[in-house]
Amino acid sequence: MRDPSGGTDLDFESFTRVHYAHVLAYLRWRTRDPHVAQDLAQETFLQAYRNRHTFDPARGTEQAWLLGIARNVSAYAARRRGARPQELPGIHAIADGVWFDPHGTHRRDGERMTALERCLETLTARARAILDLVYKERLPYAEIAQRFGMGLSAVKVAACRARQALAECMRRRLSAPSGPF
C-alpha cells in the first residue's frame, strides 16, 4: 500500500495488526471453522501485501478492501475443497458491508442471519426469485433475463437494487437497539 499523502510504503506490519481481528472474525463467520479461518486470514494478508499498490482510498476503506480480498480467498478455497453451496450462499456476502455495526459493537451471527431472513421477506417475489437464481442456482444474468423475459441490463439493475435494499434493511435492523425486530 502506498501512503496517499507521501507516496511511501506504509508499515504493513502495523496495518496487519490494526485489521487482522476484523478479517479473522469475518472469515470465521464465513467458514465456521477457526483453523480454516486462520489459514485464510494469512492468505488474505499475503494477497493484500502483494497487491497493496491496487488499494485506492477513493474507492473505499482499507477494511472494505481487505474484506473483499477475504471474500475472494474464502470462495476460492471453498471451490477447491468442492464445498457444496448452501441455500443462497451469496446473500451472505450482502452482509459484508454491515458485518460491523456503525458503533463498533459486534453482534452474534444469529442476529445477522435473522436480520437477513427478515429482510429477504421484505423483497418483492420477483426480486427474491432473481437473487435465488443468481446465488442459489448460479445462473448467468443472460439466462435469468431470458427466463423473465427481461433485458440483460434490467436484470442486473434489479439484482443490484435488491442487494442494496437488503443491505440497507440489514443496516437498519442491526443498528436498532436490541430486542425484537
Side-chain angles (χ1 to χ4, degrees):
M1 296 181 85
R2 296 241 175 237
D3 180 350
S5 60
T8 59
D9 280 335
L10 295 174
D11 179 7
F12 203 79
E13 184 178 341
S14 296
F15 173 80
T16 302
R17 270 195 299 270
V18 168
H19 296 288
Y20 185 80
H22 290 83
V23 170
L24 182 61
Y26 170 74
L27 289 167
R28 287 183 75 170
W29 175 70
R30 281 190 62 98
T31 65
R32 308 281 195 235
D33 183 327
H35 301 292
V36 170
Q38 287 176 339
D39 290 343
L40 295 177
Q42 290 176 7
E43 180 63 26
T44 296
F45 281 95
L46 178 62
Q47 287 199 21
Y49 180 78
R50 288 178 179 157
N51 297 299
R52 63 192 180 279
H53 63 280
T54 65
F55 173 72
D56 180 3
R59 293 182 61 200
T61 65
E62 293 171 343
Q63 183 173 317
W65 181 69
L66 282 168
L67 290 179
I69 294 170
R71 178 179 41 251
N72 292 336
V73 164
S74 65
Y76 178 74
R79 282 191 303 272
R80 276 193 4 227
R81 286 191 320 267
R84 293 183 52 177
Q86 298 172 349
E87 185 173 336
L88 297 176
I91 296 298
H92 298 288
I94 294 167
D96 293 354
V98 292
W99 175 251
F100 300 103
D101 73 36
H103 305 292
T105 56
H106 307 291
R107 295 186 182 229
R108 295 187 325 267
D109 293 344
E111 289 177 290
R112 285 185 195 86
M113 294 313 300
T114 299
L116 178 60
E117 289 166 4
R118 295 216 174 143
C119 288
L120 279 167
E121 293 169 0
T122 67
L123 296 177
T124 65
R126 184 165 98 172
R128 281 193 311 270
I130 288 172
L131 290 179
D132 186 57
L133 292 173
V134 169
Y135 293 109
K136 184 177 179 186
E137 303 295 326
R138 299 192 183 275
L139 294 180
Y141 286 115
E143 191 172 330
I144 296 169
Q146 197 173 34
R147 283 191 184 192
F148 281 94
M150 299 169 64
L152 178 61
S153 61
V155 170
K156 289 180 179 180
V157 168
C160 179
R161 287 182 179 160
R163 286 189 297 266
Q164 288 172 340
L166 280 177
E168 182 55 36
C169 178
M170 289 186 68
R171 273 189 207 95
R172 283 193 316 270
R173 289 183 181 276
L174 293 175
S175 66
S178 293
F181 290 116

